[in-house]
Amino acid sequence: MSVEQAPVQRADFDQVMVPNYAPAAFIPVRGAGSRVWDQSGRELIDFAGGIAVNVLGHAHPALVGALTEQANKLWHVSNVFTNEPALRLAHKLVDATFAERAFFCNSGAEANEAAFKLARRVAHDRFGPEKHEIIATVNSFHGRTLFTVSVGGQPKYSDGFGPKITGISHVPYNDLEALKAQISDKTCAVVIEPIQGESGVVPADVAYLQGARELCDKHNALLIFDEVQTGVGRTGELFAYMHYGVTPDILSSAKSLGGGFPIGAMLTTEALAKHLAVGTHGTTYGGNPLACAVANAVLDVVNTPEVLAGVKAKHQKFKARLEQIGEKYGLFTQVRGIGLLIGCVLTDAWKGKAKDVFNAAEKEGLMVLQAGPDVVRFAPSLVVEDADIDEGLDRFERAAAELTQA
Ligand SMILES: *Cc1c(COP(=O)(O)O)cnc(C)c1O
């Protein structure tokens, strides 16, 4: 039974929504795999993946199956009760990673909020209130709550909202000497994105993460990896820390974890987890059966040798063609990133114009992303078909030709 609904269009956004976003001119209404259709029936290829979220594309049968099965059983019980999907998901994450304990929430910002609160709590319990300083990196992104914008290294997101959370400093990314100079016995945690996602797809150097690990150990500080964007297969390993061979004390995950259904997770060890005793932290929706049922299905599909190996193979396919296009049209100086998180750095002539590339791609029926004004980002489904990659990159080449000839 379908109920007649009032027609809506893009112009309604400006009438009824808070203007904190500037959405594209078209409205997607349906997706299947790596294809999306808008209100007019126009078909687009999706290399944006809902900003590194739709890890298995749109309407993947395993996820639709898990969601509908759970939807007919039990949606929500609150954390006054536990539930089977949450326990299964925690087992899966514990079995697959360094972690021994999981905390579930609803977003990346919430996963980081939990991570930062845990780090401060551990230091407080073990060493006293003096040890509360958090070191983050310049240009990092950790979410939009007040704590997470304060930790994030981008003043444009944290300025103008009154006093920030204090006890936080920022050092240049991939600069071990700067971290060494800043860290002290007052440091409770160092937080790093293994690949800086939002600010340009900048992968960490192995020696940087190894050095950060050693410095943290020396100063009794916890190493937090924000894997909200890099986790759940994105790099061709289940988590990016496995790619680097450097193990954090706390890891935050979200985005791909739910494949499009909101969920976040904070993973840690048993010894640290015990500092968040009953009543110290919580969330109403976190770990609800619907989200956890979908995340279980995501992990079952993603954490397989075929899918993870496929990510590495598809990376090569994207990189080779993007380098070729970048060179032919004088668009890119570099194509960087790991797995299916790829950043194309614009040449001086196109610096600051990532939005123009986004618009040109959209005109050709292709969804891409920016990562700041100077980088075009690709974060497609991990199971994007080779034929869709070819067709999408053909469209991208047409966009590049159109843009550079204009
Ligand atoms: C997207 C992102 C976040 C924030 O996640 P939300 O779900 O938007 O709160 C945090 N950290 C990183 C690295 C991200 O890419």
Side-chain angles (χ1 to χ4, degrees), residues 51 106-110 112 141-144 193 195 197-198 226-230 252 254-255 377:
I51 314 191
N106 311 290
S107 69
E110 280 181 64
N112 284 324
F141 184 78
H142 300 297
R144 298 298 200 107
E193 293 167 84
I195 304 172
E198 292 307 303
D226 179 344
E227 291 229 30
V228 170
Q229 190 152 161
T230 55
S252 55
K255 290 204 167 97
R377 176 173 36 162

